[in-house]
Amino acid sequence: MKIGCMPYDSETPFQEMRALALAAEEAGFASFWLPDHLIHRNGDQDEGMWEAFTYLSGLAAVTSRITLGPLVACTSFRNPGLLAKIATTLDEVSGGRSILGLGAGWHEPEYDAFGYPFDHRVGRFEEAVPVIGPLLRGETVNFTGQYVQMHNARLLPRGPSPKGPPILIAGRGPRMLRMAATYADAWN
């Protein structure tokens, strides 16, 4: 069994987050996770957080053993090709110590605040994940769907993980569980 940790306060300044990641690594945790949200609205209260992949890249540069990943990257917030490119770059910076956590998103107020469509989240996810995996493995992708289109898309250069970073899918419900069973190395 591997045990990871995820700090609760996502507004933590980087030097404090750095100290938390180093302490988690020293304590023997297997992984360190950060949320991928733009904002969290709870009634009249807004909570912010730093951009996950930027922080994870910074943490990759100062840690040496712990696996790093977003819990989870919302496929609605980035084009799947860009998300795969970001993930393979984190794989490079971390020396192969990254995992790509993916989810369909759930917090409608952040979608509304930043102008992302909230409809068909699982349908959009069902088109994003089948292209992200092959891109991470170095394959050339051609795909035409309702939400995603790719034409001879390929990621270059590639990070050190031969098959790309592992993919974790977070979700529940039959469609999301089917996606996890089909495309994921891990499920949350």
Side-chain angles (χ1 to χ4, degrees):
M1 177 186 303
K2 295 179 181 179
I3 299 176
C5 65
M6 182 173 167
Y8 176 74
D9 184 1
S10 298
E11 291 185 11
T12 302
F14 182 75
Q15 293 306 319
E16 290 178 36
M17 191 67 75
R18 176 185 183 273
L20 288 171
L22 289 168
E25 184 172 71
E26 181 65 28
F29 282 93
S31 54
F32 193 84
W33 304 87
L34 294 178
D36 181 44
H37 284 282
L38 302 169
I39 197 167
H40 188 266
R41 289 220 159 111
N42 190 8
D44 294 338
Q45 188 118 355
D46 284 351
E47 295 177 19
M49 51 210 65
W50 297 104
E51 197 282 317
F53 286 100
T54 304
Y55 255 40
L56 289 166
S57 290
L59 297 174
V62 299
T63 58
S64 61
R65 294 183 312 277
I66 201 163
T67 298
L68 302 163
L71 193 60
V72 290
C74 179
T75 58
S76 298
F77 296 160
R78 297 170 195 87
N79 169 284
L82 176 61
L83 185 52
K85 183 69 164 185
I86 292 167
T88 201
T89 301
L90 178 58
D91 189 51
E92 169 65 23
V93 174
S94 69
R97 294 181 293 119
S98 67
I99 185 167
L100 178 58
L102 297 173
W106 61 273
H107 190 57
E108 188 170 6
E110 74 185 321
Y111 281 78
D112 292 341
F114 289 91
Y116 289 104
F118 191 69
D119 65 329
H120 309 290
R121 289 182 331 277
V122 176
R124 294 172 195 277
F125 186 81
E126 287 173 324
E127 290 188 12
V129 174
V131 300
I132 290 171
L135 285 170
L136 292 175
R137 292 189 299 271
E139 299 172 22
T140 299
V141 174
N142 289 290
F143 185 90
T144 302
Q146 185 174 352
Y147 308 106
V148 175
Q149 292 80 41
M150 295 201 177
H151 312 285
N152 276 340
R154 189 166 173 222
L155 293 182
L156 295 171
R158 298 195 55 242
S161 300
K163 295 180 181 179
I167 294 175
L168 172 144
I169 290 180
R172 58 181 182 207
R175 290 166 67 194
M176 291 298 289
L177 292 174
R178 192 169 26 260
M179 293 294 293
T182 304
Y183 297 103
D185 300 293
W187 169 75
N188 177 287

